[in-house]
Structures are given as C-alpha cells and as structure tokens.
Amino acid sequence: MPARYRFLPEHNCLYLRFEDPFLFGKADDLVTAFTADPAFSRSHTLIFDFSRLTNIRVDVTGSADKVAKVGKNLSRHGGQIAVLAPTETGRSMAELLRKLWAHFPQVGYHVFATEADLLHHVGLERECWDVLGSDFHGTTS
C-alpha cells in the first residue's frame, strides 16, 4: 500500500498521505515506519490525505487493529484526526474510518472536502501544506 508520512513538530502534527492501490487494514509497514522514525513523538493531530485515492479494498479483520495501533500514537490527552477527502472514494474511506475511530471518544474526527477548510481547521498555512508534497519520509509500498 503506497503511503507517505511527514512530521510537522511545530504543529504537533503527523501528515499521512495514502495512494493507490489502497488496501484498508494493511498499514503495518506505515505504522512501523513512522513509529520507528527518530523524529517520532506522540501527535495531537493526525492528517489523513485521501485526495489521491481512486480505489480502495477493505480488509475488515485488520482494520480495527490498525486503528488501535495508530490510536496509541496520538497524544495521551486525546487529539484530533483531520481527513482530506475531496472525492467520492476519499469520502467513502473517511466514513469507514469514522466508524472505527468512534471507539476513541477522546479523539475528534473531522472530514474536509477542501484543502482550504482542512488548513483553516488545523491552523496550517498554505505554504506549510505545499511543502508536504515534497521531501517525504518513510515511503512505503
């Protein structure tokens, strides 16, 4: 599953971008990569970028386990997940995740159709967002 991540320590944020082919529930390599990264620390905000998804397959048995693993990496005082889902495929993925994250009531879960709305919500500048497309860490496939 192609996915990339980038830490934004100045915003206490972890950005995760998912690409095709996306197999929901098979994110072991990604979770292992970002938690082993020397720059890793618990984040208050996770940004899931589904803007490049055109096709998803769901592994239901592994999905809840992956959410639990990622959930452990949020701040112990809760946190938030901000999802960029501008397409029908992205919105479908976001709704699947919403149901799984419901088991973490201390985590706010927000879905945005536009970059501008997401940026406003999490307090990021456009320049910061533009940088996210370059110099990725931990590319997995």
Side-chain angles (χ1 to χ4, degrees):
M1 173 185 67
R4 303 168 192 268
Y5 71 91
R6 182 154 190 181
F7 296 107
L8 301 169
E10 64 277 11
H11 298 284
N12 197 14
C13 182
L14 171 60
Y15 171 83
L16 301 153
R17 185 174 85 193
F18 300 92
E19 300 171 355
D20 289 332
F22 185 84
L23 179 55
F24 186 54
K26 295 288 185 186
D28 286 337
D29 292 344
L30 177 64
V31 174
T32 299
F34 76 71
T35 56
D37 191 302
F40 172 76
S41 68
R42 291 183 185 272
S43 299
H44 179 269
T45 301
L46 298 179
I47 297 174
F48 294 159
D49 182 349
F50 296 151
S51 64
R52 290 168 177 81
L53 292 182
T54 60
N55 189 10
I56 57 174
R57 292 182 299 148
V58 178
D59 171 9
V60 177
T61 59
S63 300
D65 180 52
K66 300 315 171 274
V67 167
K69 284 182 179 180
V70 173
K72 289 190 267 184
N73 296 298
L74 281 166
S75 168
R76 293 185 193 275
H77 304 292
Q80 69 173 335
I81 295 174
V83 181
L84 177 60
T87 65
E88 185 176 331
T89 301
R91 287 187 296 276
S92 294
M93 185 67 225
E95 289 309 311
L96 286 171
L97 278 178
R98 180 188 303 280
K99 292 172 187 165
L100 293 171
W101 281 100
H103 299 288
F104 292 85
Q106 75 279 17
V107 176
Y109 189 88
H110 313 278
V111 179
F112 301 94
T114 69
E115 291 175 358
D117 289 342
L118 182 140
L119 293 174
H120 177 74
H121 178 80
V122 298
L124 292 177
E125 298 295 325
R126 168 58 63 183
E127 295 78 25
C128 181
W129 183 258
D130 293 341
V131 169
L132 289 174
S134 62
D135 299 330
F136 270 101
H137 301 291
T139 301
T140 61
S141 51

